[in-house]
Amino acid sequence: MHTLIDYEILRLIWWLFLGVLLIGFAVMDGFDLGVAALLPFVARTDVERRVAINSIGPVWEGNQVWLILGAGAIFAAWPAIYAAAFSGFYIALFLVLATLILRPVGFEFRNKLANPRWRAFWDWALFASGLVPSLVFGVAFGNLLQGVPFRIDGALRVAYEGGGLFELLNPFGLLAGLVSLVMLTTHGALYLALKTEGRVRDRARAYVRVGAPVMVALFALAGLWVAFGIPGYALTKAAVMDGPSNPLFKEAARQPGAWLANYTAYPWMVAAPAVGLLAPLAAWRLSARDRPGTAFIASGLGIAGVIGTAGVSMFPFLMPSNLDPSASLTVWDASSSQNTLFVMLVATLIFLPIVLAYTGFVFRTLRGTISPADVERQTNSLY
């Protein structure tokens, strides 16, 4: 089957699509995770917690589509990444899955009984369902930047040689996890400021005043650590951009400062870290001026800047190996076949606009705020 697009271009398009899907997940499902992680702190009574829960209750399932799309894209477009990641990060991803399962269960069961202990248990379950994924996703990115301990043999079989979950919880991995956690909880707080009334909204705005500058400081610290403390990866023998997906056809090495090389070669890429630093500060300022809608948009741009910074810094690497740098997986040697990428591209161009249109319709239909009086009038509602 002959495609209309060169293999090299298809691989680049799917690298961009992967970034778009990760950003979409972080922006859309990120505020759900952030609200859940903030639940014990912004809502102190049962009515206040119902206000917070009802702000995300009608939309969280639709937002989780972005997680499914992202995982599906990795599985179909980057099977080598899928195999290596789910082997190396198995325990961490299992932990994420276990806590994400708590979210629908918590929504379904919390309001079934009026018993305070029953509801408190599910409130903490919802808290865990927001805290753990927000932290672990950042830890995973932190470990990608440092390199993952795997090898690839002549039969292209991936052998992970890491030590498990606690090895991932290294100092830089934990810093990246904190960046993710504070970023998503601030995003969630801005959503609460936009969608709720009363004390929940007031506490959410108070969190933004602290969370946004702390997130910027942590992101800047992580950037300095990457620049001066973590060797990057560079190709020493160029990969064949339109050749077969065989990581062993290239050569690569760890080099100090290599993660900064793209900013010298392509100065426009500095826009990503600039947005990652400036947009959260803009959100902080807009929130202080009581403009929650534009503050929420600015927060989303900041998330895009942070994820984009990781992507453009590492390009063309997707999953570097710290045991055998030449076995690292890159955009040019870890993808599916040209035909597969083309068929998936056609399907994506058809269905992604439908997802976007549906998402826009839902949020427009459910626009408005939720007050304590609203949930008190609806004692028999699901949430």
Side-chain angles (χ1 to χ4, degrees), residues 5-13 78 235 237-246 249-250 262 266 315-316 330-338 341:
I5 306 176
D6 292 339
Y7 202 7
E8 174 187 351
I9 301 301
L10 279 170
R11 284 167 161 164
L12 187 58
I13 289 172
W78 310 101
L235 295 175
K237 178 183 177 182
V240 181
M241 297 180 182
D242 58 354
S245 290
N246 188 332
F249 285 176
K250 68 171 185 314
N262 282 339
Y266 311 101
F315 183 84
T330 74
V331 172
W332 314 123
D333 56 30
S335 73
S336 294
S337 68
Q338 184 176 6
L341 294 183

Side-chain angles (χ1 to χ4, degrees), residues 37 58 131 180 212 223 265 282 350 372 374:
L131 175 72
S180 174
I350 293 172
D374 293 331

